Amino acid sequence: MEKLTQSMIRISMMLFLIFVCSALRAQNGYITVSGHLKDTKSGEKIVHATITVPGTNIGTVSNSEGEFILKVQNSLNAEYFEISHLSYTTTKFKISEALGKEKTFYLELQPIQLKELSVVPGDARGIVEMAMHRIRKNYSEGANMMTGFYRESIRQRRDYVSISEAVVDIRKAPYTNWQDDQVKIFKGRKSTNVKKADTLMVQLQGGPNVSLLLDIVKNTDLSIALDSLDNYQFEIESMVTIDNRLNWVIGFTPNVIKAVPLYNGKLYIAQDNMAITRAEFSLDLDDTDKAARLFVQKKPMGLVFTPTSTSYLVTYKEQNGKFYLSYVRVDLKFRCDWKRKLFKNHYTVMSELAITDRHEDNIVKFANQEVFKTNMVFEEKVQAFADPDFWGDNNIIEPESSIENAIKKLSKSLKK
């Protein structure tokens, strides 16, 4: 079997859907900043923006409704927090003026200002090649210990049948070798069967490992298979600003036909240092049968699984001249048909991982018994919990209103 096929099978193992019939942390005081993000002119919500505290590694991400919550330890004596997003001016806000009632924070679109450039290739593929060659220079050469917040949910049509989330510890291996990243769960909770599923139960295998494998810079032979640029055609589409830095937008489409499907998407590459700062992509679904085989590990006889859309987002954040994984989101929609039966089920699976803290001191590998393994089902490793203060001073992604309502529904049932 060719190398690409083996690699894609390896990552698809982490994305398998399973169908079945019927550490000590400081507890210092903290302050909380929360609010909504909107475009200054249009008033449109700004989703998946990065919110950080300058001079620290603390951060979070706004949800798909533009809402965020940021917890800052008092011991940091921080004065400002900072918000950045694709094509917007990175903006600082005073923490003291953001406390209390939830506020709306506005960002302004940043006009593109072309600067004098170093000599760069005139073609899109050449830009991508330079970005790949500069991975060692642009990304961490040492291991990092990261704290992340991971959430996954499964919906049947509009109703949630499963929500699971956790604060996780991540040993992020260097970008310069082939060590695997490691994950362990610090604390987590779940709300399974918020709406009782009918005759079909869906589970997602791999949990936060999926997000780490989608780090396209570290796993060039996996994820979207950038280890061979011959797999794709590249095209310069436009230029945008990210964190006040000019980026090329490089579109890519499959250039060859493989035993497994490739991807369509965009790479965002910083013009000054050739770092990949963001990637958006989706699986080529022209051959739905071929795509379906990537996802399903187990299903009942007579069930036809058809993926209808996929969406992946990976972002990186620069600190002290190096880029680090910041946020990963996966959205998968599919349809399940029973042969010789009339009804169909439509499902949406979402997972997201936001890196909320990071340090580089005393990095050691996790013990094998602590590690969340790639063959595990995440929701089976966390417990149902109704305590509203469960997360304490850990930064999380603000739940979307539909998720929040579903969690509240579970909490009420647990109190009875």
Side-chain angles (χ1 to χ4, degrees):
M1 183 181 294
E2 60 182 312
K3 180 182 177 183
L4 175 63
T5 302
Q6 293 172 333
S7 298
M8 294 297 291
I9 287 176
R10 183 182 168 195
I11 191 169
S12 70
M13 292 284 286
M14 304 306 100
L15 295 168
F16 272 148
L17 298 166
I18 301 173
F19 296 88
V20 183
C21 285
S22 276
L24 292 180
R25 293 169 186 260
Q27 295 298 316
N28 298 333
Y30 61 91
I31 55 178
T32 301
V33 177
S34 60
H36 300 76
L37 305 183
K38 291 187 177 181
D39 181 290
T40 300
K41 291 185 177 180
S42 69
E44 291 291 320
K45 61 188 177 184
I46 299 176
V47 305
H48 308 150
T50 301
I51 301 96
T52 57
V53 178
T56 76
N57 299 316
I58 296 173
T60 187
V61 175
S62 64
N63 65 17
S64 62
E65 296 168 346
E67 302 170 338
F68 75 94
I69 180 171
L70 178 69
K71 299 175 183 178
V72 185
Q73 290 185 349
N74 291 328
S75 58
L76 293 175
N77 296 317
E79 294 186 50
Y80 298 91
F81 67 98
E82 187 175 83
I83 303 175
S84 62
H85 192 271
L86 175 68
S87 295
Y88 286 90
T89 300
T90 300
T91 307
K92 288 183 179 180
F93 298 90
K94 292 194 72 170
I95 291 176
S96 60
E97 297 176 358
L99 299 179
K101 188 178 180 181
E102 281 195 0
K103 294 178 171 60
T104 300
F105 302 94
Y106 292 93
L107 298 185
E108 293 186 356
L109 283 170
Q110 184 174 38
I112 294 177
Q113 297 179 346
L114 298 178
K115 304 175 182 178
E116 289 189 15
L117 304 178
S118 303
V119 177
V120 296
D123 65 292
R125 174 169 171 150
I127 293 173
V128 177
E129 287 177 343
M130 288 188 67
M132 302 302 290
H133 290 156
R134 290 176 65 90
I135 288 176
R136 179 178 292 271
K137 184 172 183 178
N138 285 326
Y139 301 85
S140 178
E141 296 181 77
N144 284 258
M145 193 63 69
M146 295 178 167
T147 301
F149 179 75
Y150 175 78
R151 176 185 288 130
E152 66 181 42
S153 65
I154 300 174
R155 281 187 295 156
Q156 180 184 319
R157 298 187 184 274
R158 294 184 178 182
D159 296 311
Y160 285 92
V161 295
S162 175
I163 302 167
S164 307
E165 51 190 16
V167 174
V168 295
D169 292 317
I170 301 168
R171 183 191 180 274
K172 196 77 172 69
Y175 280 80
T176 53
N177 63 39
W178 296 105
Q179 293 179 22
D180 289 332
D181 299 328
Q182 291 182 303
V183 183
K184 66 177 181 180
I185 298 172
F186 172 62
K187 60 162 59 178
R189 67 180 184 181
K190 67 178 178 181
S191 51
T192 304
N193 290 334
V194 175
K195 171 187 179 299
K196 186 173 178 60
D198 48 27
T199 58
L200 193 68
M201 182 175 71
V202 181
Q203 293 179 313
L204 179 64
Q205 180 176 302
N209 291 291
V210 175
S211 301
L212 295 175
L213 284 170
L214 289 168
D215 181 348
I216 67 166
V217 175
K218 176 168 173 46
N219 301 307
T220 55
D221 60 326
L222 303 175
S223 58
I224 56 177
L226 281 179
D227 56 323
S228 175
L229 298 187
D230 290 338
N231 289 327
Y232 292 103
Q233 291 181 337
F234 298 94
E235 179 182 0
I236 300 176
E237 294 188 355
S238 62
M239 302 187 75
V240 299
T241 55
I242 301 176
D243 285 336
N244 298 336
R245 174 182 271 118
L246 205 57
N247 281 246
W248 280 290
V249 182
I250 308 294
F252 60 89
T253 56
N255 192 42
V256 293
I257 297 176
K258 298 285 186 177
V260 291
L262 293 171
Y263 293 81
N264 299 284
K266 298 177 182 179
L267 299 175
Y268 296 76
I269 299 177
Q271 199 177 75
D272 56 352
N273 57 17
M274 309 302 294
I276 297 175
T277 62
R278 180 184 179 99
E280 303 166 0
F281 49 98
S282 59
L283 191 66
D284 183 357
L285 297 180
D286 285 346
D287 187 333
T288 54
D289 290 337
K290 186 163 64 175
R293 288 193 292 270
L294 281 178
F295 294 105
V296 179
Q297 182 186 36
K298 177 182 176 182
K299 68 180 181 68
M301 289 290 291
L303 182 71
V304 179
F305 168 86
T306 305
T308 56
S309 73
T310 66
S311 175
Y312 304 85
L313 170 65
V314 183
T315 71
Y316 300 85
K317 186 75 175 176
E318 186 268 339
Q319 287 183 317
N320 301 321
K322 296 288 185 180
F323 286 79
Y324 302 89
L325 185 68
S326 177
Y327 179 67
V328 182
R329 183 180 175 97
V330 178
D331 287 280
L332 167 66
K333 295 182 179 180
F334 57 91
R335 182 181 69 247
C336 292
D337 301 341
W338 290 96
K339 291 181 179 178
R340 300 178 183 176
K341 295 184 180 180
L342 295 178
F343 74 90
K344 300 177 181 179
N345 287 323
H346 294 265
Y347 291 90
T348 300
V349 174
M350 183 278 291
S351 69
E352 57 184 339
L353 171 69
I355 303 303
T356 59
D357 204 352
R358 180 184 63 81
H359 69 85
E360 301 174 354
D361 303 321
N362 302 318
I363 309 300
V364 295
K365 287 188 175 182
F366 301 146
N368 185 59
Q369 64 269 23
E370 297 178 313
V371 175
F372 184 89
K373 297 179 173 60
T374 54
N375 63 348
M376 293 177 174
V377 174
F378 178 71
E379 71 168 357
E380 294 178 350
K381 299 298 178 181
V382 294
Q383 301 298 316
F385 210 98
D387 181 2
D389 298 319
F390 179 65
W391 300 119
D393 61 357
N394 292 286
N395 273 298
I396 67 170
I397 304 171
E398 180 81 342
E400 298 155 17
S401 59
S402 56
I403 291 179
E404 189 172 31
N405 291 335
I407 292 174
K408 287 179 180 178
K409 188 183 298 184
L410 173 80
S411 299
K412 290 178 181 178
S413 66
L414 289 176
K415 291 176 182 177
K416 292 179 180 179

